[in-house]
Amino acid sequence: MTPSGTTSGAAERRPGPDSGAQPAWELLLPAAGAPARRRGRALQEALREAVRTGRLAAGTRLPSSRALAADLRVSRGLVTEAYEQLTAEGYLRSDRGSGTWVSGTVRSTRTATSPGSPAPESSERYGSGVTVDFRPGVPDLSLFPRAAWATAQRAALGQLPHHALGYPDPRGLPVLRAALAAMLTRRRGVVVDPDRLVVCSGVAQAATLLGFVLRGRGHAKVGVEDPGSPEHARLFAATGLETVWLPLDEEGLRPAPLAAAEVRAVVVTPSHQFPSGIAWSAERRSMLLDWARSVDGYVLEDDYDGDFRYDRAPVGALQGLDPERVVYAGSVSKSLAPGLRLGWTVVPEVLLDEVVERKRTMDLGHPALDQAALAYMVTGGGYDRQLRRCQRVYRERRDALLAALHAHFPGTSVTGIAAGLHVIARVPARYGPAERFLAEAADAGVALRALEEYGTARPSDRAVRLVIGYAHLTPTAIEAGIRRAAEALGSR
């Protein structure tokens, strides 16, 4: 097959040494050689990546499934399935009687030079040479269900009454609030009345809304987990609240520092703590709620990845234990895409009017059509299907990361693997100190982050503790990135 996508003689299939082009089927050869049980998914990932990076340009006609299967020496069914999947996602288009083509709707990200897809933060922090970025908390945006979302939008637009297109209820569309309430009760054990659920643009806005309300009630400080997400401190600072770092141990927040902190509100991630990966013990969950009652305070529960559990059932939401003390927040940023800016917060009755009024003055409510489309997906089962799909893909990528660490950094211990989109890897001291480890990996084009970047504690030994995100990287990119880091560090 030539660069234009047509088949040709064997002598023309490989470019000469000075050629800058690469026949499309050659891009897929590594995937065709993957183990049989994951060959189909590998083929889809490779084809998707070729379109996304512009190596298969918009308008390129692909060979027939029979011809490509023969070139790759795989079954025709694998190729047909790959074509159908990428057509459904919008990467390809298929015209009856005229073949399969690369869609013109995909915008090339040609600047990415490897299977990794670094976010802009990578080049700012590590320089332009980063090719594999293990940034935590980033989902695979290619998993966004384009066809299902388009169907949901068309259905929503056809069903939405005219009056729903006016200025919306700041809490959100009633149909979405009812759908989310039922889903959160079923999946996360949240105690929720739809009237107390506020649709917002993600956990960030939920935290900001709560921060303004607490500030108006006389709060001056809010506690955050140490280690924890730096974003929490930035969000609350924007509302005029000082943040106090509260240390964790293997069970959750430590009681003594919490009691001494002189705060009456904290933000926590108890189901899968970020970044340590621990699930809070029942005793610490109970302790936190007792503390909140004793100080007449509130807990913001950031359930940022509560749906992604791989080896056991999800831990129920803390909010279910005391809905009048816990503000619950979640979003579709990991399950669908952060660019949708769709999330929710479940608010105690005593705070509800103030949160709703702050939401109204902040943005007059959330876009009605997007809300209606999400309601259609949730009530029709499409959202649950998307979650199952993401869980399958992310579990496979987690396993690829564990295998790569075992192969290339023997002696590494890994925690936080039962859930979420990242793990904590403790690399043996012989690879330390952390500063050198990170610098040499970055020189090899691999961006990694140390656990101490997310808190105030500093390790007393030379062991390297890494926060490694994997959801946005293909298994091939994961293995290549870990191998490249190991090669850069040499044998130790």
Side-chain angles (χ1 to χ4, degrees), residues 5 70 113 139 240 312 314 357 367 433 449:
T113 57
R312 62 177 182 267
E357 178 60 17
R449 290 154 185 83

Side-chain angles (χ1 to χ4, degrees), residues 134-139 227 269 272-278 304-305 308 310 334 394 397-398 401-402 405 414-425 449 451 454 466-472:
F134 287 99
R135 184 179 182 182
V138 180
T269 53
H272 183 241
Q273 200 276 330
F274 183 88
S276 71
I278 65 169
Y304 72 101
D305 65 359
F308 296 112
Y310 309 121
K334 304 296 188 294
Y394 294 158
R397 295 178 182 186
R398 179 205 63 175
L401 175 60
L402 297 180
L405 289 169
V414 185
T415 58
I417 65 175
L421 309 182
H422 72 278
V423 301
I424 300 296
R449 290 154 185 83
L451 177 60
Y454 296 88
L466 303 172
V467 183
I468 306 180
Y470 55 80
H472 59 298

